[in-house]
Amino acid sequence: MARLDRDGVAIHYEVHGEPGGRAPLLLTHGYSSSTAMWEPNLAALGAHRQVVTWDIRGHGRSDSPGGAELYSEAASVADMVAVLDAGGIDRAVVGGLSLGGYLSLAFSLAHPSRVTGLLLFDTGPGFKNDDARSKWNRYAEATAAGFERDGLTSLSASPEVGTGGHDPTGLALAARGILTQRDARIIESLPAIGVPTLVLVGADDHGFRAAADYMAGKIPGAVLAVIPGAGHAANLDQPDAFNQEVSRFLDRRDVL
């Protein structure tokens, strides 16, 4: 476990496993979750490579700064760069679940030379339609208001959330600054992705099945894996099946 300073904001990260001949893996958790959500997956995914996990600002053991301007997609991507730099990692397979998957796409768009592969778990690429994006942002605002009003009792029942000593104020600020979306850059970038990509979704994750199908159809050469008996937290609902699918993908010769 380690912490790095990002202009006064401490970011918690962990490095698991030993350096090997394969590119390290950077995993980003979902909204209102933390590094702890990856515990059932670390041994399998780190068998032949280092696995780096981290807490998004406002989550888990990372700081929850008070300024709303300190929470954004750009700040989160910059935190991911800083975590890789702290570990001396130049290029990595980059992946995440839900918000973590979206941030992985944002990272790939901003820093394509640092990505050797993408893992997109139970996530979506944003919206082309302004009305759909506005609906999502109203959900994010309602989520923020719930944490401000009710504290951590507003956490959902999904198994990946609540894994970490969250600050409800940080979660509210992260909802407004990171969870909200402002444009269609990410979804429009999918056809230009040039690295091997795994799109994985739980069969019962009805909110993201269509998004998974869309990404698998738009990203050149993407592999789609649907995990039976899994919902939005496929890595926790069916960890053995999840680990098998991801390990099979990581073992491909073109995933460096």
Side-chain angles (χ1 to χ4, degrees):
M1 293 184 286
R3 286 164 73 84
L4 61 87
D5 182 270
R6 294 276 298 128
D7 298 323
V9 179
I11 300 298
H12 170 85
Y13 70 99
E14 302 177 8
V15 181
H16 304 269
E18 299 296 330
R22 310 301 297 273
L25 173 58
L26 175 66
L27 291 176
T28 302
H29 62 79
Y31 176 73
S32 70
S33 188
S34 74
T35 54
M37 69 163 285
W38 302 113
E39 288 180 2
N41 317 117
L42 293 174
L45 302 188
H48 305 293
R49 67 183 72 231
Q50 281 188 323
V51 179
V52 181
T53 61
W54 69 292
D55 287 343
I56 299 169
R57 54 181 62 201
H59 294 71
R61 283 174 281 187
S62 287
D63 280 354
S64 296
E69 73 280 2
L70 298 176
Y71 297 81
S72 67
E73 174 190 307
S76 300
V77 169
D79 290 342
M80 295 165 76
V81 171
V83 167
L84 290 181
D85 289 347
I89 297 170
D90 181 47
R91 304 179 72 212
V93 180
V94 178
L97 184 137
S98 200
L99 174 60
Y102 183 85
L103 290 176
S104 298
L105 285 168
F107 181 95
S108 179
L109 179 60
H111 303 282
S113 66
R114 302 198 68 166
V115 179
T116 67
L118 278 171
L119 304 173
L120 306 175
F121 309 138
D122 295 284
T123 190
F127 307 92
K128 286 185 176 181
N129 182 280
D130 291 341
D131 290 338
R133 189 181 309 111
S134 294
K135 181 179 179 181
W136 173 264
N137 289 344
R138 288 194 297 272
Y139 157 76
E141 171 59 34
T143 299
F147 282 115
E148 290 172 334
R149 182 183 63 249
D150 303 321
L152 295 181
T153 61
S154 289
L155 286 169
S156 81
S158 188
E160 83 279 9
V161 308
T163 52
H166 301 301
D167 177 347
T169 300
L171 292 179
L173 289 165
R176 290 197 176 97
I178 305 173
L179 194 60
T180 54
Q181 299 179 13
R182 290 161 179 78
D183 53 46
R185 292 177 306 109
I186 302 302
I187 193 169
E188 291 174 348
S189 74
L190 299 181
I193 292 174
V195 295
T197 301
L198 172 65
V199 180
L200 182 148
V201 65
D204 301 326
D205 188 3
H206 303 298
F208 286 89
R209 282 293 305 273
D213 290 341
Y214 182 88
M215 291 189 296
K218 290 292 185 180
I219 298 173
V223 174
L224 176 64
V226 180
I227 304 297
H232 188 56
N235 70 304
L236 296 174
D237 293 338
Q238 298 292 340
D240 290 342
F242 175 93
N243 294 340
Q244 184 178 35
E245 289 287 353
V246 177
S247 296
R248 181 184 298 118
F249 177 80
L250 291 174
D251 286 343
R252 284 174 37 167
R253 297 175 69 89
D254 57 345
V255 182
L256 302 177

